[in-house]
Amino acid sequence: MKPLTPLLMLSLIHLAIVFAAASLDSGDNIQIFNEVFDPRGFPFSDRPMEGMKKLFQVPGFQAEEWPHVLIWDLLVGRMIYLDGLARGIFTAHSVLLCNLIGPPGLLLHAATCLAVGKPLPTLSEVSEEDLTFDRRESGHAKEVNTGTKAIGGINAAELVKDVFSRSSYSPDRVADACASDVIWEDLSGFKPDLRGREAVLDALRSRPDNLAEVAPYVLDKVADGERSTGFTWHREAQGVNGWGLRGTTFVELNEKGEIAYVREIAEPLLKPGGSTEGLLKALAKPDAQWFEEKERRKAKFRPRKVHGASDMVQHLWLEMQGQDNEEILKLFSDDITYEDFNFPVPFRGKQEVAEFLTAFNIPGITFIPEKFSEGNQSACFTWFVEIAGVEGQKIRGISFYELDADGRVCYIRDIAEPAIKPPPLLAVASTMRPGIRRFAPAAPLTE
């Protein structure tokens, strides 16, 4: 269904039929054809219908009209199929109806889109990159799952709750849920880049905190995605009042319902706060092209309706990045909580968040999303930062967004990877207090 060549070949065959039929026409059929489009008396005249009846008695017209209808139905059916493939929408029923009776199939596809919370189809040509869920626009990479349930009906959010919960977690249980070729990026761990199930199992078993009285993952928020998800977490240890180390994890399943990709980052124990702003401003050296690209993105932006958390983060980071904060803040709730773990306490409310966004709207700094999870209520995504003028240096990170009942962003957690892995303070804290992996417990987040 992806190449257009078969349709072009069928169109050439249709054109040959048209020429063959025209060469046999004595001229009378042209007069009948004119009757079909006779505007006199419209819309009450029966001349067009009578003309159409006469045309269907002409063998040449019959030979032309049959492939004509089939090719157009196939064209629209193909566009419906590719739109569904790119956006994770079931299309078998719509494609079938389109090829049976034409336009109602398109109406059914539009109704299906609205029923599953997706925008109406544009039916524009879908690129090969869209079909592999690797989209790039204005230099921004984007990877999104189809939304189809994994084989066997395994749900990513439910799998996470099953294998990472405090009551069921074990290194072996997590490894058993992984694909044989799993990629696991523990960007604040002792072994940051793992490949394969056995490597993941060895790394999890060798962590210095595998103690019976420790809960390495206490799940706080879990994105409600089927093929991909993310979750925020903290550690707890018996006898310790308060939260241990906090972090965020992104999880993606393969077609078999196995964990195929993980990115995990824990908070830094040393929180530089506002000095991060000064460091980035000193490093970034944007050129004229960077500013031109920013202005091009601003001019291209058009506000639109957002459908769920995953669509929200894509809208914010693929379409709105570089826009004025006033536009961005329209999508945030008044009582938003924003945790950036470079700072010791979260920002609360639009005013504090606005000041934070203004401070970090730094020329030469570009956030490039990599993978977006699914999720209607909440979503997680991975990213990296490009610093203009600094070659070969990318800072990877992970973010978690949650929406309120009105569809506005009410909670954000951002974590960037540390420059040194594992961070020296984390390594010391893991040795001194392996249960919580902090020098002192953190206060629980209250929203």
Side-chain angles (χ1 to χ4, degrees):
M1 288 293 287
K2 289 185 280 185
L4 194 60
T5 307
L7 280 175
L8 295 176
M9 296 300 296
L10 290 173
S11 298
L12 286 174
I13 294 172
H14 175 261
L15 183 61
I17 294 173
V18 171
F19 278 123
S23 66
L24 300 175
D25 184 24
S26 62
D28 295 338
N29 294 332
I30 297 299
Q31 181 61 36
I32 299 174
F33 193 79
N34 289 336
E35 291 180 18
V36 174
F37 297 98
D38 189 343
R40 288 177 294 178
F42 180 85
F44 305 105
S45 173
D46 61 355
R47 286 176 59 83
M49 182 59 68
E50 291 300 320
M52 202 68 183
K53 290 179 181 178
K54 294 176 184 178
L55 278 179
F56 272 109
Q57 302 303 315
V58 178
F61 180 77
Q62 296 172 8
E64 178 278 334
E65 189 65 13
W66 185 237
H68 180 159
V69 172
L70 289 179
I71 291 170
W72 279 111
D73 286 352
L74 183 59
L75 176 64
V76 178
R78 172 185 181 273
M79 295 169 74
I80 292 171
Y81 169 76
L82 293 181
D83 179 62
L85 190 62
R87 300 196 296 144
I89 302 169
F90 181 74
T91 59
H93 60 315
S94 303
V95 172
L96 177 61
L97 191 61
C98 183
N99 282 277
L100 289 176
I101 55 176
L106 180 58
L107 291 176
L108 182 57
H109 179 58
T112 303
C113 293
L114 296 177
V116 298
K118 298 291 181 68
L120 288 174
T122 61
L123 295 184
S124 57
E125 182 63 26
V126 181
S127 69
E128 184 68 24
E129 288 185 331
D130 287 326
L131 298 177
T132 56
F133 314 110
D134 184 11
R135 306 173 186 176
R136 288 170 173 81
E137 180 179 359
S138 304
H140 297 278
K142 174 170 108 170
E143 185 168 336
V144 190
N145 275 304
T146 64
T148 306
K149 287 186 178 180
I151 293 176
I154 296 176
N155 178 289
E158 295 305 318
L159 178 64
V160 159
K161 294 174 185 178
D162 182 39
V163 301
F164 287 96
S165 68
R166 73 167 83 195
S167 60
S168 61
Y169 170 83
S170 73
D172 294 72
R173 186 172 175 80
V174 172
D176 287 344
C178 291
S180 59
D181 57 349
V182 61
I183 297 173
W184 189 301
E185 297 175 337
D186 183 358
L187 298 187
S188 52
F190 292 83
K191 298 179 180 179
D193 294 299
L194 304 169
R195 299 292 186 273
R197 184 187 296 128
E198 293 303 320
V200 169
L201 179 59
D202 290 343
L204 295 179
R205 283 177 173 175
S206 64
R207 282 180 175 178
D209 51 18
N210 284 317
L211 307 171
E213 66 274 13
V214 173
Y217 295 98
V218 178
L219 307 184
D220 302 317
K221 300 175 183 290
V222 181
D224 51 325
E226 292 185 346
R227 285 281 305 281
S228 54
T229 183
F231 59 98
T232 64
W233 50 267
H234 69 274
R235 298 174 59 82
E236 288 185 0
Q238 292 181 11
V240 178
N241 185 23
W243 285 9
L245 193 70
R246 299 166 294 179
T248 305
T249 302
F250 178 96
V251 176
E252 182 179 70
L253 307 187
N254 61 16
E255 291 292 337
K256 298 180 180 179
E258 301 168 324
I259 297 175
Y261 173 79
V262 174
R263 174 177 290 182
E264 181 171 274
I265 312 180
E267 64 177 317
L269 297 187
L270 177 63
K271 303 188 187 306
S275 61
T276 304
E277 174 192 350
L279 176 62
L280 292 175
K281 286 180 176 178
L283 289 174
K285 306 295 181 184
D287 55 15
Q289 184 177 356
W290 189 92
F291 287 100
E292 290 172 2
E293 175 63 19
K294 179 180 179 180
E295 291 304 314
R296 189 188 73 81
R297 290 199 304 270
K298 288 186 68 174
K300 186 178 179 181
F301 169 71
R302 297 292 183 273
R304 66 174 177 84
K305 186 177 180 180
V306 175
H307 301 271
S310 183
D311 190 39
M312 173 67 81
V313 293
Q314 293 173 58
H315 182 55
L316 285 167
W317 290 102
L318 292 173
E319 301 168 30
M320 294 192 71
Q321 186 172 176
Q323 300 301 315
D324 296 333
N325 286 342
E326 182 179 353
E327 285 292 329
I328 295 173
L329 290 169
K330 291 178 181 177
L331 301 176
F332 289 2
S333 67
D334 292 335
D335 57 351
I336 182 174
T337 297
Y338 195 135
E339 287 187 305
D340 183 307
F341 277 153
N342 281 317
F343 291 81
V345 295
F347 302 96
R348 296 184 182 276
K350 271 190 177 180
Q351 182 59 43
E352 288 188 9
V353 171
E355 293 173 359
F356 168 73
L357 294 178
T358 299
F360 279 83
N361 186 14
I362 301 171
I365 302 298
T366 305
F367 283 81
I368 301 182
E370 297 175 288
K371 291 176 178 283
F372 290 101
S373 85
E374 301 163 6
N376 186 54
Q377 185 63 36
S378 53
C380 188
F381 67 101
T382 65
W383 45 266
F384 65 87
V385 175
E386 281 189 346
I387 305 175
V390 179
E391 298 295 332
Q393 183 66 39
K394 295 179 180 179
I395 304 170
R396 293 173 292 181
I398 187 169
S399 294
F400 188 98
Y401 279 55
E402 183 179 40
L403 306 188
D404 63 13
D406 296 323
R408 291 186 172 86
V409 180
C410 63
Y411 173 79
I412 298 174
R413 175 182 284 185
D414 290 340
I415 315 180
E417 68 176 323
I420 303 173
K421 300 177 184 62
L425 289 180
L426 180 58
V428 174
S430 297
T431 301
M432 295 178 60
R433 304 193 70 174
I436 61 172
R437 297 182 72 182
R438 292 176 58 102
F439 295 110
L445 175 68
T446 56
E447 299 182 35

